[in-house]
Amino acid sequence: MTLHTLYLILQQTLIITAFVIGLMIIIEYINVKTDGLWSKRLQASPWVQILIGALMGVIPGCLGTYTIVSLYVHRVVNFPALMAALIATAGDEAFFMFSLFPGDALKITVILFVAAIVIGGILQLTMKNKFIGLSEMSFPLHDEPECHHHHHEHTVRKNFKNFTFVRALLIAMCVMVLGLILSGVINGEHQLNILMGGQSEEMAIESFEGDHHHEVVDYHNHEHFDCDEHHHHEGHHHNHEGEADWIRYTLLAMFSIILVIVIVAKEHFLEEHIWEHVIKVHLPKVFLWTLGVMIALTVINYFVDIQGVVTKNPYIVLLIAILIGIIPQSGPHLIFVLLFANGTLPLSILLASSIVQDGHGALPLLAESRRAFVLSKGIKIVLGLAVGIAGLLIGF
C-alpha cells in the first residue's frame, strides 16, 4: 500500500466524517431550537418516515443516506425508514449510471424507490422493535432554560465577551475543515477514487474500455455494436469535476452554517450537545470505523481481482454481485455498472447489485449499530437474490 493510497483513504474518511458529524450538529441545533417539535412530529408519522427515507435514498451519492442514518441513530426515524433509504440508494454508482445510461438508470431508480416503500411498509407492520441496536438515548433535550436558546441582540456580544475554551476549539475545528476544503485536501473526489488495487475510477474505466474495443453483443437489445462508437456517442461522461464541486460546495455551506451556530449558540448547547454528545460520543466512532474499514477493504482489493472473478455464468455473477454488495464502500460495485453499460450484463443483476449495496452510506451505521447494519444487509441480500433470480428467469 503506497502513501498515495493511504492519502486517498484518509481523504475519503475525512469527507465521510465531515458529512456525518456536520449533519448531526445541524440536526441537533434545529431540534433544540424547535424544542424537539419537528422530530416528535416525524416520530409520530412512521409512514412519512418511510417516504422520506426512500426519497433521501434515491438522491445520487451518499448525503441522503448519511442524513437518514444520522436521524436513525438519534431515534428520530425508525428501522423501516432506515431500511427504505438503504434499499433505495445506489450510492455513488448512481452518478455513473445516469451518465452512462440515463434511461435505464431512471428505470432502476423507480424500481428501487417502489421496493423501498414496499419493504419499509412490510417492516413497519411486522416489526416490534423498530430501533435495532440502539440505546434509549435520542436527542438530549433538557428542561433547563439554557436548552431553549432564545437569543437576543446581545447574545453574540456576550459569547465573545465570555469566550470559552470549548467555543474557541469548535470555531478552530470549523475553520480547519473549511481550510481543508478550500485548500483541496477535502475536495470531493472520493467519487473518483476507487481503492481497488490503488486505481482511480477513471483508470478503471479506461482499463475496462481498453479491453473491450472489439465488437460485443448488446444484452439489452440483442444487437451488435462497436464499443468505441458506443462510448463516443455517450459523450464526455467521464468528466466528474461537477460531482467533486457539488460535494465541495455542500461541505462549504454546511460548515459555514455550523460556524455561525458555534458563534451564536449559548455555552450550554456547545458543551452539552455539540461537545459532549456529537464530538465526544459520535466523532471517534465514525472516524475510526470508517478509516479501519477502508484500510481493510483496500488491502483485500490488492489481493483479490474482483473484475477477474466475474464469470459468464449469470447465476454465479449474480451471487458475486450480491456478495460484493455487502461491502460498505463505493467502488467495487462499479464493475457491474460498466459491464451493463458495455452490454454484457443483464439489468436484473445490476438491479440486484444496486439493492444490496449502499455505497459509503452504511459506514456510519456500522460504527453506531452493528446489529442494524447486519440485519439491513440480510434483508437486502434476500431481496436482491429474489429480484435477481426472478429477473434472470423471465429474461429481464
Side-chain angles (χ1 to χ4, degrees):
M1 186 185 301
T2 65
L3 290 177
H4 179 64
T5 302
L6 288 174
Y7 171 77
L8 294 179
I9 293 173
L10 181 60
Q11 185 186 64
Q12 294 186 53
T13 301
L14 287 172
I15 290 172
I16 294 172
T17 304
F19 261 129
V20 174
I21 297 303
L23 283 169
M24 284 187 173
I25 292 174
I26 292 175
I27 291 171
E28 189 107 6
Y29 184 74
I30 294 173
N31 196 66
V32 169
K33 284 286 288 183
T34 59
D35 295 333
L37 182 62
W38 76 278
S39 61
K40 290 175 183 176
R41 287 181 176 177
L42 191 55
Q43 287 170 328
S45 306
W47 296 103
V48 175
Q49 293 179 28
I50 293 171
L51 177 61
I52 292 175
L55 288 172
M56 296 298 285
V58 297
I59 298 174
C62 303
L63 182 58
T65 316
Y66 290 157
T67 303
I68 296 300
V69 170
S70 298
L71 292 174
Y72 177 72
V73 168
H74 288 93
R75 300 174 71 93
V76 175
V77 301
N78 59 21
F79 186 81
L82 172 70
M83 200 69 238
L86 294 177
I87 290 174
T89 185
D92 294 345
E93 278 67 29
F95 290 109
F96 286 87
M97 289 194 290
F98 277 102
S99 176
L100 293 166
F101 39 87
D104 286 318
L106 181 60
K107 185 189 301 183
I108 291 171
T109 300
V110 171
I111 294 173
L112 291 176
F113 179 80
V114 173
I117 296 293
V118 171
I119 298 301
I122 292 173
L123 293 176
Q124 179 63 37
L125 294 173
T126 57
M127 288 186 69
K128 292 184 178 180
N129 178 14
K130 294 185 173 64
F131 294 98
I132 304 297
L134 298 182
S135 64
E136 293 300 319
M137 179 198 73
S138 57
F139 281 110
L141 292 174
H142 311 292
D143 294 329
E144 52 265 33
E146 290 86 350
C147 210
H148 298 286
H149 304 287
H150 298 301
H151 303 293
H152 51 78
E153 59 181 348
H154 300 297
T155 297
V156 176
R157 186 183 303 173
K158 286 184 177 180
N159 288 344
F160 280 92
K161 184 177 180 181
N162 304 309
F163 208 64
T164 63
F165 174 75
V166 171
R167 191 182 303 276
L169 186 58
L170 291 174
I171 289 176
M173 290 176 65
C174 288
V175 171
M176 181 185 70
V177 172
L178 289 171
L180 291 174
I181 298 169
L182 291 171
S183 66
V185 175
I186 297 179
N187 62 6
E189 289 183 359
H190 79 301
Q191 311 287 359
L192 315 178
N193 298 321
I194 171 177
L195 297 175
M196 186 161 57
Q199 287 185 312
S200 69
E201 289 180 347
E202 294 288 342
M203 293 168 61
I205 292 174
E206 292 172 3
S207 175
F208 180 85
E209 291 176 341
D211 293 335
H212 291 78
H213 286 304
H214 56 280
E215 189 180 70
V216 298
V217 178
D218 184 346
Y219 193 103
H220 324 301
N221 301 318
H222 303 287
E223 297 176 354
H224 288 72
F225 69 101
D226 183 82
C227 285
D228 288 338
E229 182 180 354
H230 169 70
H231 289 292
H232 173 73
H233 289 304
E234 290 289 348
H236 301 288
H237 52 255
H238 300 329
N239 183 0
H240 303 285
E241 291 180 2
E243 297 167 24
D245 288 341
W246 180 84
I247 294 174
R248 182 164 54 248
Y249 294 149
T250 302
L251 285 171
L252 282 172
M254 180 184 297
F255 277 89
S256 296
I257 293 171
I258 294 172
L259 181 59
V260 173
I261 290 174
V262 172
I263 291 173
V264 304
K266 292 186 176 180
E267 201 63 35
H268 171 81
F269 177 79
L270 299 183
E271 292 184 357
E272 297 298 326
H273 293 266
I274 296 183
W275 185 256
E276 293 294 332
H277 181 216
V278 177
I279 303 299
K280 292 180 66 174
V281 174
H282 294 289
L283 190 148
K285 287 194 294 185
V286 172
F287 180 83
L288 292 176
W289 268 93
T290 302
L291 181 64
V293 169
M294 287 201 169
I295 291 176
L297 291 175
T298 303
V299 172
I300 292 172
N301 286 330
Y302 268 107
F303 292 98
V304 178
D305 180 9
I306 296 177
Q307 182 172 337
V309 173
V310 176
T311 70
K312 294 182 179 180
N313 188 314
Y315 290 97
I316 293 179
V317 175
L318 172 63
L319 181 60
I320 293 172
I322 297 295
L323 293 176
I324 293 178
I326 299 173
I327 300 173
Q329 181 188 15
S330 288
H333 322 289
L334 180 62
I335 181 175
F336 300 103
V337 175
L338 298 177
L339 287 171
F340 178 82
N342 187 260
T344 59
L345 193 76
L347 179 63
S348 55
I349 295 181
L350 178 60
L351 183 59
S353 171
S354 300
I355 290 173
V356 180
Q357 71 108 341
D358 32 49
H360 293 98
L363 268 179
L365 181 64
L366 180 61
E368 298 288 349
S369 173
R370 266 72 74 192
R371 286 180 58 197
F373 176 84
V374 171
L375 180 59
S376 67
K377 282 296 184 181
I379 294 173
K380 298 211 298 177
I381 287 172
V382 173
L383 178 62
L385 279 172
V387 170
I389 292 174
L392 289 174
L393 290 175
I394 63 176
F396 179 57

